[in-house]
Amino acid sequence: MRINAGSKYALSAESEYVELAVEVFSMLADATRIRIILALREQELSVNHLADIVDKSAPAVSQHLAKLRLARIVSTRHEGTRVFYRLTNEHARQLVADAIFQAEHTLSNDPAHHRADHPAAR
């Protein structure tokens, strides 16, 4: 791996990406946005479908999607007049999964994701 002389390793305490990572966490510090990301884990969805899933109005979901799009967490595909949203890459999905798993640890000494019969344990 080649690193520019002025840049810091991405996963070091001196990383030049720390402030940007804080912005990502700030963007994800909203229950509706977490639910949207969970809904988009496996498929792309329209605003109306997402609104039904997260039990919010379509305009509210649209505002959250606009913020997630500006942060490059979601991207769009147009099909006629319909717009479908999808996760831009796997990292938001993994961040949210890890946050959910961390939350499980706060409630249990034996969280479900550690059990052999749980899909995340495989």
Side-chain angles (χ1 to χ4, degrees):
M1 172 166 69
R2 190 162 189 222
I3 303 290
N4 292 335
S7 74
K8 305 286 183 184
Y9 288 104
L11 296 178
S12 73
E14 301 85 23
S15 174
E16 61 190 324
Y17 299 105
V18 168
E19 285 77 16
L20 289 172
V22 169
E23 288 182 29
V24 170
F25 282 121
S26 176
M27 180 62 56
L28 297 177
D30 181 278
T32 299
R33 290 188 207 132
I34 294 293
R35 288 183 172 97
I36 289 170
I37 290 169
L38 289 169
L40 293 173
R41 280 183 330 225
E42 303 297 326
Q43 60 188 334
E44 62 180 23
L45 298 166
S46 68
V47 172
N48 289 332
H49 195 167
L50 282 165
D52 288 342
I53 291 169
V54 303
D55 197 28
K56 299 288 182 186
S57 70
V61 169
S62 186
Q63 288 181 343
H64 286 290
L65 286 165
K67 290 177 182 179
L68 290 169
R69 191 170 174 206
L70 281 173
R72 296 185 179 157
I73 293 172
V74 300
S75 53
T76 60
R77 177 180 67 83
H78 296 266
E79 189 176 285
T81 60
R82 295 185 67 189
V83 179
F84 293 89
Y85 289 84
R86 67 182 173 277
L87 295 178
T88 302
N89 57 55
E90 74 282 358
H91 299 294
R93 172 186 9 222
Q94 190 61 51
L95 275 171
V96 169
D98 286 341
I100 296 290
F101 295 158
Q102 182 62 38
E104 285 184 350
H105 278 276
T106 65
L107 299 176
S108 172
N109 289 330
D110 183 29
H113 67 273
H114 281 290
R115 296 188 198 121
D117 63 341
H118 191 276
R122 294 181 196 136

